[in-house]
Amino acid sequence: MMETILNLGLNDETVVGLIHRTDNPRFGYDSYRRFIQMYSHVVLGIDAEVFEGQLAALKSERGVKDDLDLAAADLERLVEEYREIVRRERGAHFPQDVEEQLWGAVGAVLQSWNTARAVEYRRIHQIASRGGTACTVQAMVFGNLGRRSATGVAFTRDPATGTKRFFGEYLMNAQGEDVVAGIRTPLPLADGAPGSTQPKETLAAALPECYHELEKLQQKLEHHYRDMQDLEFTIQEGELWLLQTRSGKRTAQAAVRIAVDMVSEGLIGKEEALLRIEPAQLDQMLHPTLDPTVRTAPIAVGLPASPGGAVGRIVFSADAAVAWYQNGERTVLVRPETSPDDIHGMHVAEGFLTARGGLTSHAAVVARGMGKPCVVGCETLHIDPETKEMRVGGQIYAEGNWLTIDGSTGAVIAGQMPLVTPQLVGEFETFMSWADALRSLKVRANADTPKDAEVAKAFGAEGIGLARTEHMFFDPGRLPVVRECLLAEDRETRKRALTRLLPMQKADFKGLFKVMAGAPVTIRLLDMPLHEFLPTRVDEIAETARAMGWTADRVRERAEMLREVNPMLGHRGCRLGITHPEIYGMQVQAIIEAVCDLARETGMESRPEIEAPLIAHANELRHLRAIIERVAEEAISRAGQRVPYTIGTMIELPRAAITADQIARHADFFSFGTNDLTQTTFGISRDDAGTFLKAYGEKHLFPHDPFQCIDTDGVGVLMRWAVERARAAKPGMEIGICGEHGGEPNSIALCHRLGLDYVSCSPYRVPIARLAAAQAVLTTGERK
């Protein structure tokens, strides 16, 4: 978890020997002051900004911009000032014993496993907490021995776009921490790289022999490891040293392009390419970019570190980002440079903007890993976290002001710019075609409107696995009519309200069927806790009273009578359809008439699947099926058309899962509603779980949040029972899942193992589900 490199073994005595050996006082004092700063921050816990402030003050006093412009005497003075900071902050001298330094550093690395940022990193990436970390002690080479020494980071391919080109940055006369920490803005390795302004700045021009050797080595390493590599190197007095190589972090766009290109190049096969990408990474490719048709006037331009557009309110600290996020606000985190301590704010921010740092700085690497837009090295910005101000071009931007960044061009724009959804073509289509050819699970989408359905279809959805009809009733134009229906004291009043809702519902369903063009559309009949629709505010009660011709007191009394102590387990779902069959009758009539109208107008066939919610007992579904069939057949008879339809239910209660064989006798299909199945299995309200589930995670009581990933030992066992018993009673029965778990990779793998026919998820998670379904085939070895 900690990658900080400490050059140990420097003290008052050894620095003198280093100066004598190298005949370079500047190098000796520079190495010593860097060591004091880093060791004090990492091991002694002193804020690095205290040392940076001392350095900035000295450069200002000397009238210089770059560390390199400070003389040996200036650096010797800094050493003493840094030592004084340690004495002031810690009440003790900076340690001079080399063994004490070594064991202090080892202890800091081992303890880093439990720091707040490490815990947050593991939470974000779902890494187990029981592993621990390790510490490497090794000899060092030095990149700060003069003008023929340098240090840098390189990638064998562009980590932002995936383009096959050697890419990286370096600093002359510097150590590795200077590059990755963003303290100085680095230079490109060769011409044509982002940020390259003058040929003389490149490593290829400054040290051509080292550059060409590095270029040969990167090709060799990529072919050996068969993956894009992230290299760290140091040049010590003209001699190249490779410090490490590892698979490089990359954006989702880059990951897909690299995988497809490497298959074309014969480095890997299609199946390995599919396993190279985490399904959740694809989410990065589905987010908006700046609308290219809108003219923009950037207030500044930095380096494009991670593509995509981000719009949010300016915040100057990670804590502020979290606070604004908790109030429902989008933010852009604006910092001089970021550090690992900012991880919690980076997780919730829309994007990042820094004044310092390059394309391999902390902000850039984290942004690409998270798939968030990022602009770095924007040196015209003057960012002051203390006063919470950003100054540029004579203008001041304060916390809370709106800001837009374009991580694809480096542009920084004041205000809110419009964003557009990207078109997924080229390598993405090729990659997803490999996944589609391999997977056995179908992928549908949860969609309640034609717009949602269009997005889902564009992302590859093969039908709608859940259309929630209650969501259609929240429209302001419909809500008063819905309230009339629910508050009605007799069936005739309720029927009059339903007659007004019928054409609205028919238009809803017709829109969905038209978009899906013959693909299956599962429509869940009304499933709403009544309290979500009953009027509560004075203005709502007054409006409802006027519409119904009642007094406000009568409306209030009726609403109070209908209000429930535990509405999630109350008069909802199939219970509402049984007590008020006219409600479900109206919806079924609207479904059948929508199919008939569309067929008559366009010749298009539709595949409605009518779903009864919250079934606990086989008798409930038997009763409702009779009502649904009667209404459907009456509508079909009136239209004079034959309409194929199926009737099924959601399995979202433990009793339904246990008695699935009995319920299956009255159902054509099942769909697991794992949101409610998880709630009723655990006895936990999903809406209230946030007050204690975090504590459960910290105490390792649950392996994961059961509302994010299916609980295999509890909910998963119920699902297995339901599948086995249902198909024993009705072989070949269609069974899917429509809870939000349908877009979570681990849950999708479970669905594959259980032999489900499809998963259904939100439209923007459809590509994730398609890839996860293919990976489930590869990881289980089970091809259905």
Side-chain angles (χ1 to χ4, degrees), residues 40 44-47 50-51 82-92:
S40 299
L44 303 181
I46 301 174
D47 189 347
V50 179
F51 298 97
Y82 281 11
R83 289 173 54 174
E84 180 55 36
I85 290 172
V86 174
R87 282 195 293 269
R88 184 176 69 244
E89 296 288 332
R90 299 287 297 182

Side-chain angles (χ1 to χ4, degrees), residues 26 44 48 83 105 188 222 231 241 262 301 304 365 387 450 477 480 501 540 614 649 667 669:
R26 191 191 182 286
L44 303 181
R83 289 173 54 174
E222 182 175 274
L231 315 173
W241 296 82
M262 286 190 168
V301 178
V365 171
T387 61
L501 284 173
E540 292 175 341
L614 212 69
T649 185
F669 67 88

